[in-house]
Structure formats: structure tokens, C-alpha cells
Amino acid sequence: MEEMVPVVDENNNIVEIVPRSFMRKNKLPHRASYIVLSDGNGRYYIEKRTMIKDYCPGMLDACVGGVVQDGEDDIVESAKRELAEELGVTTDLKYLGWKKLQSRPETFTYAGVFYGEYQGELKMQESEVDDVLMLTAEEVLERSAEFTPDSLIVFKYLLDNPDLIK
């Protein structure tokens, strides 16, 4: 059965629930979790997306996360689910609030932004993650053309606001 996702308005209020494929096809505004995950030593976990992803296949992702599903009323639980699914990681996350992302002119996403630190083994979800790179902030910025635009907006937002993660 296809995943159902909430569509939101300009104020992040849910206006309807639609199949994920319909949301993607029609570029409808929605919610998603974005987790900037660091090793605590200046390097970040960067995912290489699989080629079967419905958004930006094969690109690098500066954030772990994904689309909020229908019934996920708590963005923190959604983020923890995504982190466990994609990387097999359980760690404390600092919730930094909602940020409206306008990475494409025709739509927007409400991002539940998080920061976490982790050192340990990964168990990548084969259908979503091809590889994980450990890059410094400088390396991410140097390779910005390889990244999903929305994840780069969130990553830069945290770099520009370091007090948020203290």
C-alpha cells in the first residue's frame, strides 16, 4: 500500500492527505524531517541517495530524514523513525523547530530541523542509502552542486546559526 502524506498550507496546517506519488507528481507542499548528524569532531554523515528515490535520485544529502507520513503527529518521533530506518542509528536529537524551505519556486516544504551527534556502526537502508560519506562543513560547501537543494539549505542554516546546536 502506498504511503499517505499530509499536504500543508502556507502556515503549516494540514489541508489534505494524499498518496506520496500524487504529492511528488503535483509538487505539493508537505512536511519532512531534516537531521544534521555529526560525529562531534567536525565531520558530518552525508548520505548518497539511491537511484530509485522519488526526489533527487543519486544526489548527496546533507541531512538524514524524510517525508512525514499521515498519522505522524509528533515530528520528533518521525525524525527518530527516519534516522533508525535510514542509518540504523538511535541517538539523542535536539529539535530546533520548523523552517519553511523554498528550494524550488513551485512549492515549499516545512522542515522539522534537528541536530544530533553519533559515533558508531551504521546499518544503511538499501532502498534509500547507497553510501555514507564523512565530510567536513567545508567539504560539503565545496561540493554543494552534488547535494539535494533542500538539505543544503538546512545544513547552511545550522552553519550560519551555531548557537542553535549548543
Side-chain angles (χ1 to χ4, degrees):
M1 182 140 153
E2 186 170 2
E3 184 179 302
M4 301 296 286
V5 298
V7 174
V8 296
D9 65 14
E10 289 282 339
N11 298 310
N12 198 18
N13 297 307
I14 297 173
V15 294
E16 67 180 317
I17 308 297
V18 300
R20 182 183 177 119
S21 61
F22 184 83
M23 178 270 293
R24 286 291 190 215
K25 178 182 176 189
N26 294 287
K27 300 178 175 128
L28 298 175
H30 58 282
R31 294 173 177 166
S33 59
Y34 290 79
I35 305 155
V36 174
L37 189 64
S38 170
D39 68 357
N41 295 312
R43 295 185 317 154
Y44 297 89
Y45 291 84
I46 305 300
E47 294 181 342
K48 179 167 177 22
R49 299 167 67 84
T50 63
M51 292 305 292
I52 61 170
K53 295 291 289 178
D54 63 2
Y55 171 69
C56 294
M59 295 189 78
L60 297 179
D61 215 332
C63 302
V64 179
V67 174
V68 174
Q69 299 175 13
D70 181 35
E72 287 186 317
D73 299 324
D74 182 353
I75 189 64
V76 175
E77 292 306 314
S78 177
K80 287 180 179 181
R81 175 188 56 77
E82 288 286 352
L83 188 58
E85 282 179 3
E86 291 184 14
L87 297 181
V89 170
T90 303
T91 192
D92 291 334
L93 296 176
K94 182 173 184 182
Y95 175 55
L96 306 173
W98 290 104
K99 179 166 177 53
K100 185 178 178 186
L101 305 181
Q102 188 92 39
S103 62
R104 298 179 287 176
E106 69 274 12
T107 193
F108 58 88
T109 302
Y110 264 98
V113 179
F114 296 84
Y115 175 78
E117 293 183 357
Y118 176 78
Q119 292 180 0
E121 296 295 316
L122 302 177
K123 185 179 180 199
M124 295 180 291
Q125 184 179 19
E126 291 180 16
S127 62
E128 298 206 18
V129 182
D130 266 346
D131 197 9
V132 174
L133 310 174
M134 296 300 296
L135 301 179
T136 65
E138 294 78 20
E139 291 169 326
V140 170
L141 297 176
E142 287 170 6
R143 297 175 66 174
S144 63
E146 299 174 58
F147 283 82
T148 61
D150 53 334
S151 75
L152 204 54
I153 290 170
V154 171
F155 190 83
K156 288 178 179 178
Y157 171 68
L158 290 188
L159 291 181
D160 292 342
N161 297 283
D163 290 343
L164 290 175
I165 58 175
K166 290 185 179 178

